Amino acid sequence: MKQIEESGKVNAINYIRDKYGFTPEITSVEICKDGPDGDPFPSANGDVRVTMNHESKTFTVKISGENPVEISGEKPEEEGRDDYQYDQITQDAKEYFEMLLGCDIYDFYLEYKEKEISDSVYSYEEKNLIHQLYEAGSFEDFLKNYPANIRIDDCINKDLTTLPEDNPDAETFFQTYSKNYRMKAILISYKSEEDYKNGREHTYGRGGVMDFDIWKDGLYICSYRVFKDGKSKGSRFLQQEYDGIIFSYEDTIRQNLVLGESVSLSTKGEEGRNKLTLLGDEWEWMDLKETKGKPLSKVYSVRTNQSGEIAVYIPVDKLKQYQGTSVYIQHFYEDKWWQYEPNLYKTTDKKYTLFVYHGVDNGSFDFGIFK
C-alpha cells in the first residue's frame, strides 16, 4: 500500500508536468480499492486518486500507483485522468448554450466522463476526470467524445414545451447529441430569480437523473424540458388555489414525447381540460382506524380524471390556525379505501408545508389536517 501511494505521487506529478507544463503540490492521496458490496476489506486495485494544488486551484488526478510511469512526452494523457480544466470547460459550455438558447443562463451544471465508463451510479466517482487536453473553443467536439449530463436553469418564466417551434436549432442540437453521443440534459425555466431561490432542489441532472422529484418545485418553475436517448419531453406546471392552499401539477395536455422529430399540441380548450375540481367537506373522512377521529380542518378533496403527481402547499399559518402537526391522505384504489400519512416538507422561505400525492393510477384524493 505504501509503495502504491509513493509511486502514485511520482506518476501524478510527472503526468501533470508533462500535460500542462507546471509542477503541482500534493495535498492528499487516496488508494483506490475494489470489492463486492459490503466487503469490509476491499483490495487495492493499483490506482490512486491524488488531490493536488496549483496557484490556489485544487484538482484531482487518477493514475496508476503500481510502478513509476515513464512519461514519454508524446501522449502523456494516456497515463492518467484529471479534472484540472473543469472550470474552463464549464465556462465554455455555459457561453455556448447561452448563444444557442438566446438567453442568459442563471445557473449551470455540467458533468462528463470517458466514453468507456459505464452509466452505472457506481462509476460516479469517475465524473469530470479525462485524459485529453481540452482546447478552448472546441466544446461541440468535446461533447462528441465525452458523454455529459447537463442542467441549464434560467429565470425568465419561459414555456419550454414550445421549444421545437421557438428554437428548432436548439431542439435539434439537444436531440442529436442525446441520441448520438449519450448526452443527457434538462432545461428548467423558473418564474423569477426569487422563485429560483425558493426552490428546494437544484441538483437535477446530477448523476444522469434528470427530473425526479421536480414536482416539489412546481410552484416556482414555469416549465422544463428533458433530452435523453434522442427523445425529448416538455412539461409545464399549473397551479390552482382553494381556501388559501395551492395545488401544483404538471400540464399533461402540453406534455409531449418526441421521437426524432418535434410534435406540437394545440392549446385550444386546454384550460378547462387541465383544471382540478377542488372541494371542501363534500366527502366524509372514512373511519379506517388510521387516524384518531375526524380532521381538525375541512376534508379537502381533489377530483381529476388524470394521473400524476399533485403537490399541495399548505400555508404554515393555516396549520397554526388548526394547531395541526400532521396531514393524512385518503383515496380509493383497487376497490378499497386507503389512508396514510405522507412525508411533509417545508419550502425554503418557510411559508408553506408541502406534501406530494403520487396519483399513478388516478389523481383524485382527499386530505385533512390532524394533530
Side-chain angles (χ1 to χ4, degrees), residues 55-203:
E55 296 181 348
S56 300
K57 181 182 178 69
T58 300
F59 58 97
T60 300
V61 172
K62 183 175 181 181
I63 200 165
S64 173
E66 291 188 322
N67 294 294
V69 177
E70 295 296 331
I71 302 295
S72 67
E74 296 178 0
K75 292 185 178 181
E77 67 274 10
E78 293 182 355
E79 305 296 347
R81 295 170 178 166
D82 69 276
D83 59 3
Y84 177 73
Q85 291 182 290
Y86 177 77
D87 292 342
Q88 179 185 359
I89 295 169
T90 299
Q91 183 59 36
D92 276 12
K94 184 173 181 289
E95 292 174 0
Y96 180 91
F97 287 122
E98 285 182 332
M99 289 288 292
L100 180 66
L101 294 168
C103 68
D104 290 336
I105 293 174
Y106 187 79
D107 194 15
F108 180 77
Y109 178 76
L110 171 70
E111 68 181 46
Y112 45 81
K113 57 192 174 186
E114 298 279 358
K115 278 184 178 180
E116 69 272 15
I117 295 175
S118 165
D119 285 329
S120 166
V121 293
Y122 300 108
S123 66
Y124 189 63
E125 67 173 18
E126 298 287 348
K127 69 175 183 141
N128 307 332
L129 298 176
I130 61 174
H131 69 273
Q132 189 176 25
L133 181 68
Y134 174 75
E135 299 292 341
S138 63
F139 182 67
E140 279 193 39
D141 289 336
F142 177 84
L143 278 184
K144 293 177 180 178
N145 292 311
Y146 295 96
N149 299 324
I150 297 167
R151 188 191 75 249
I152 299 172
D153 296 334
D154 70 57
C155 297
I156 58 177
N157 199 32
K158 186 176 183 180
D159 185 356
L160 292 167
T161 65
T162 61
L163 184 68
E165 302 97 275
D166 299 338
N167 192 337
D169 289 341
E171 177 76 12
T172 299
F173 173 88
F174 284 109
Q175 283 198 34
T176 300
Y177 275 70
S178 69
K179 179 180 180 180
N180 297 335
Y181 306 111
R182 289 169 52 197
M183 183 193 77
K184 299 175 185 177
I186 182 168
L187 282 57
I188 305 175
S189 187
Y190 287 82
K191 296 176 181 178
S192 67
E193 289 187 22
E194 182 180 359
D195 286 295
Y196 177 89
K197 293 172 184 176
N198 282 332
R200 286 179 45 83
E201 302 289 346
H202 298 296
T203 57

Side-chain angles (χ1 to χ4, degrees), residues 2 31 53 74 101 159 161 180 199 241 302 310 348 369:
K2 186 65 177 176
I31 296 175
N53 186 276
E74 296 178 0
L101 294 168
D159 185 356
T161 65
N180 297 335
E241 185 174 338
V302 177
I310 297 176
T348 303
I369 300 170

